[in-house]
Structures are given as C-alpha cells and as structure tokens.
Amino acid sequence: DVSERVEAQAEAEAAQRRLAFLFRATSELLEQPLSTDALLATIARLVLPQLGDLCIVDLVEGQQHLRRVATAPERDLEAAALDVSPAFAPAGDSLVARVLRSGQPFVFSPSEAGPWAHAPWRACLIVPLSARNRIVGAITLVSFARGYGKDELALAQELGHRVALAVDNAHLYDEAREAVRVRDDVLAIVSHDLRNPLSTIMTS
C-alpha cells in the first residue's frame, strides 16, 4: 500500500533526524570545556527548534536549592516572560519542582485542569537530569505550536541522560581540581614548616 510505505518512510526519516540530533548534542557535550554552565548553555541553545520554542535548564545545588543556569532564546520577550512564570519556578509547587521531587519526566498541556490551565503555551515537557542515582537538575521544554508525544519524550529523556552524565563529569572534575589545590596548599605549608627548623640548625 502506497500510503503505508509513505508513512513508514516518514517515520524512518524522523527517527534518523532524532539520531542525528543526539549525535550532534553528544558531540557538543564532548567538545565543550568542563564547565557546567557552559555545557548547559550550549544544550539550551541546541535543542531549539528541534524540541520546542523555549528551553530552561535548572541545576540542583546544595540542599535541593535550584539555580537557573540557562534560558534559550535569551533575548526573546516571550521567552523572558515564561522564564519567570510560576509554572517553571525553581521552588514551591511548580511543574519543575514536581519533576525534581518525583524523579519522573512530565508532559503537560494547559488544556488540562489545574493551576496552569489556559497558560500561553501549547505544551511543555520537563525531564529530570539524573546521574549515579542522583538528580542534578532539570530541562524544561516549551512549545507554542505543537504538543509532545512519545517520540519527543523519549528523545528528551535520552538527551537528559547524556546531559546529566556530562554535568556529573564536570562536577567530578571540579572536585578533583579542588582536591589537588588543597593537597598543594598542604604540601607548601609542610615544606615551609620543615624548612624553618632546618634553617635554624644550619645557621646555629
């Protein structure tokens, strides 16, 4: 049947585009310097318009404190208005906070009943960033023109997994660098303390 072949070809092409997107995203993550903010700012720009019209990235710091790391597009007035929307606030009972508490992705349409009914966007998709059984943040995707289906959800989850690993690696790198700095400081102090008695002995 011609229509079935056309549909199968369209699905195959869509799957190929998703794989190409993941490959490009992974390449960007690997090429970026080991800076968490730089990594997430790159990802926020990269997902548009493949996965929506607005991307917000939040990072967990300290005792479940969230820091908004990136918003794309950065200079769009509509994006700026949604960035401060209570629905995407990094605290309280916002959609983002719910995802961080549950650890599960969330697909939402404002047509559903609830406090965010009649919101100005068509749909939003929020995925947690989880690495080593620990949630390190969340990616929020907002669309003004289309809904999100299982393909977009699967793609966002796979992207979130790769981003979480990159963030975790960046954290490990920062911790290792700090450990080396502390070691060097201790060695410098010990070396200084050892030199003082030796200098006294040699000059006496």
Side-chain angles (χ1 to χ4, degrees):
D1 184 84
V2 175
S3 61
E4 290 181 355
R5 287 200 300 272
V6 171
E7 184 177 348
Q9 183 177 356
E11 290 179 358
E13 291 174 351
Q16 190 172 18
R17 286 194 296 271
R18 289 193 292 271
L19 285 174
F21 168 75
L22 278 176
F23 178 79
R24 185 159 52 97
T26 304
S27 298
E28 289 283 351
L29 288 171
L30 293 174
E31 291 172 4
Q32 285 293 316
L34 283 174
S35 163
T36 302
D37 287 16
L39 286 171
L40 298 180
T42 296
I43 289 301
R45 292 190 298 269
L46 184 65
V47 299
L48 307 180
Q50 175 84 18
L51 279 172
D53 304 301
L54 170 69
C55 179
I56 300 171
V57 186
D58 293 304
L59 198 63
V60 175
E61 294 185 342
Q63 296 297 319
Q64 299 301 310
H65 171 71
L66 272 187
R67 178 168 66 92
R68 183 137 297 170
V69 179
T71 302
E74 298 174 354
R75 296 178 179 82
D76 186 284
L77 292 178
E78 195 167 21
L82 286 183
D83 182 31
V84 297
S85 167
F88 308 125
D93 193 36
S94 69
L95 301 176
V96 175
R98 293 180 192 180
V99 167
L100 291 172
R101 285 196 300 268
S102 68
Q104 299 298 317
F106 185 68
V107 181
F108 178 81
S109 169
S111 61
E112 300 174 21
W116 316 119
H118 313 299
W121 64 87
R122 171 75 180 274
C124 76
L125 168 60
I126 307 172
V127 293
L129 302 178
S130 179
R132 294 192 296 169
N133 298 318
R134 182 171 64 94
I135 295 177
V136 298
I139 293 180
T140 300
L141 301 161
V142 179
S143 173
F144 298 118
R146 60 189 171 108
Y148 289 113
K150 60 179 183 179
D151 290 338
E152 289 82 8
L153 174 59
L155 181 59
Q157 284 183 285
E158 181 59 32
L159 175 66
H161 175 67
R162 299 182 186 204
V163 171
L165 289 177
V167 169
D168 193 52
N169 287 338
H171 283 165
L172 291 174
Y173 174 78
D174 289 340
E175 290 172 3
R177 189 171 56 179
E178 178 63 15
V180 169
R181 187 192 65 78
V182 171
R183 183 205 63 187
D184 290 345
D185 289 347
V186 170
L187 288 176
I189 293 171
V190 171
S191 177
H192 178 268
D193 290 345
L194 288 174
R195 277 199 302 268
N196 284 341
L198 287 175
S199 299
T200 302
I201 293 170
M202 293 178 69
T203 56
S204 61

